[in-house]
Amino acid sequence: MRNVRTGGKTAVVAGGAGFLGSHLCDRLIADGARVICIDSMLTGRPENLRQFEREPRFTLIEADIIDPLPQRLTAGRDPIDEIFNLACAASPPHYQADPEHTMLTSVLGTHQLLGLAAGKGARFMLASTSEVYGDPDVHPQPETYRGNVNPIGPRACYDEGKRAAESLASDAVRARRVDARIARIFNTYGPRMQPDDGRVVSNVICQALSSRDITVYGSGEQTRSFCYVSDLIEGFIRLMACEKELPGPINLGNPQELTVNELVRLVLAHLGTDSVVTTRPLPVDDPRRRRPDITRAQTYLGWSPTVTLEAGLAATCAYFVERSAELRKRPAEAALNDAVEAGLL
């Protein structure tokens, strides 16, 4: 049975030091919750959590969810009301760096967190991905579409890991062990993205800021749908709070579709740079089109994105401009090392 408590709730955020996880922690703290962040720091960053250094309602546990969960979570008497599982490298360069670990994070980690949810009577949310649709034959992609995924390709550690995690969560619901819900996340962007994560938004902005050539893979006519981070976090909050009987996974993303070439033109126009576009071969299994059908989110959550692409890109560019300025103010050697590591030089 799920906990029913009045007053401030306690939420566990696995992967809370990452791009999305840290924004979720911000929102939960702002809403009055007590937050327990668990993160291995493999792709999460301590700087994303600096705002919580003096926050008594925030606790950080450095641990990897493929290992046995810390006893302070499993054996503690403190109640846990909600568990958000965002723990997994989410960009191709990061999740392909250690594919076995990526798969185990999705499968073993989800299994362990579902067990924690069952033991604590907590509601559970799995952060899944639009990658479960693979290179889709159906457009836009509804949750009923089963996907076109290569189970042995270089992206399979992430795609199949998330598909297996969805299966675990769905079985827990059918067995009435856990009140679980699944968010299928489409491309999301905003402040705190890692400059070296290989995603198109951060790539284009960082290359433009350093006056390098803009790298476009393939013809650039492949499409994406970009959702600003605050809109996505609102979707998470509504999905976790929803008391309706859900039909299954819920797509969360912005249905505005544009080509990679169009995105590049928008970023260059905003930054006022004259970088030259160069092309490289399209990565294996890279999807040609990506756009969510958000009918379920609108129907069950009353959710639709509200931040325009222009406003979101302006905020994201400002974040990277500010970060590059901060690096320039640091001692030369340290700033150079950080800029190279961040992909700004």
Side-chain angles (χ1 to χ4, degrees):
M1 294 291 292
R2 180 172 175 256
N3 286 328
V4 179
R5 289 201 302 135
T6 57
K9 64 187 176 186
T10 297
V12 172
V13 180
F19 164 45
L20 298 181
S22 62
H23 282 281
L24 176 59
C25 290
D26 284 344
R27 173 62 185 271
L28 290 167
I29 290 290
D31 287 350
R34 174 175 174 252
V35 174
I36 303 171
C37 167
I38 179 169
D39 202 298
S40 67
M41 297 300 173
L42 290 176
T43 57
R45 295 186 298 180
E47 68 190 68
N48 289 341
L49 303 176
R50 284 177 184 164
Q51 66 274 27
F52 302 127
E53 287 178 353
R54 291 185 173 89
E55 174 53 66
R57 290 181 288 115
F58 181 83
T59 301
L60 172 62
I61 300 175
E62 290 195 37
D64 193 324
I65 61 169
I66 73 170
D67 298 325
L69 295 178
Q71 283 196 343
R72 61 193 299 187
L73 278 180
T74 59
R77 295 183 179 181
D78 293 338
I80 294 174
D81 303 289
E82 299 174 349
I83 298 174
F84 295 84
N85 183 13
L86 280 66
C88 189
S91 67
H94 291 163
Y95 67 64
Q96 291 174 4
D98 189 345
E100 182 178 356
H101 187 272
T102 297
M103 177 71 79
L104 290 174
T105 300
S106 290
V107 179
L108 185 55
T110 297
H111 172 69
Q112 297 196 134
L113 290 173
L114 283 168
L116 178 64
K120 294 288 188 177
R123 182 172 281 179
F124 178 90
M125 192 204 82
L126 171 67
S128 187
T129 173
S130 60
E131 294 295 331
V132 301
Y133 299 123
D135 186 7
D137 297 318
V138 173
H139 192 78
Q141 293 80 58
E143 293 89 346
T144 52
Y145 177 52
R146 296 182 181 180
N148 176 34
V149 180
N150 178 1
I152 58 171
R155 303 168 75 102
C157 59
Y158 185 66
D159 303 354
E160 296 295 345
K162 289 294 188 179
R163 286 161 71 96
E166 286 195 12
S167 178
L168 286 168
S170 300
D171 285 336
V173 170
R174 280 188 286 267
R176 299 186 181 276
R177 292 195 303 271
V178 179
D179 179 2
R181 48 277 322 273
I182 298 167
R184 287 182 178 165
I185 303 169
F186 283 69
N187 293 67
T188 306
Y189 70 103
R192 299 183 194 160
M193 295 182 77
Q194 293 196 41
D196 63 346
D197 67 7
R199 303 185 202 199
V200 62
V201 172
S202 51
N203 275 357
V204 173
I205 292 174
C206 292
Q207 289 173 340
L209 284 176
S210 57
S211 299
R212 289 182 291 161
D213 290 348
I214 305 298
T215 304
V216 170
Y217 294 91
S219 67
E221 290 304 302
Q222 64 271 33
T223 67
R224 296 293 184 268
S225 301
F226 298 99
C227 184
Y228 190 65
V229 62
S230 62
D231 280 333
L232 183 75
I233 298 305
E234 177 65 24
F236 285 172
I237 297 297
R238 294 192 184 201
L239 180 58
M240 183 64 89
C242 183
E243 299 296 343
K244 300 175 183 177
E245 185 176 351
L246 298 171
I250 302 288
N251 286 340
L252 294 176
N254 194 321
Q256 179 187 1
E257 183 182 8
L258 72 161
T259 67
V260 171
N261 288 332
E262 288 170 331
L263 174 73
V264 170
R265 287 193 288 270
L266 284 172
V267 171
L268 293 182
H270 181 81
L271 292 175
T273 61
D274 55 1
S275 297
V276 176
V277 174
T278 61
T279 60
R280 293 183 182 176
L282 199 65
V284 175
D285 297 328
D286 194 65
R288 296 159 295 173
R289 300 189 74 182
R290 186 60 61 76
R291 177 187 169 194
D293 180 332
I294 62 169
T295 303
R296 279 189 182 179
Q298 292 169 325
T299 301
Y300 290 90
L301 311 181
W303 178 88
S304 293
T306 61
V307 179
T308 66
L309 182 61
E310 291 74 15
L313 284 177
T316 307
C317 288
Y319 166 78
F320 282 110
V321 168
E322 181 180 4
R323 187 172 185 197
S324 62
E326 289 175 354
L327 290 173
R328 285 194 293 271
K329 292 178 183 178
R330 296 190 58 192
E333 184 176 354
L336 177 62
N337 290 338
D338 282 355
V340 170
E341 181 180 353
L344 294 172
L345 291 175

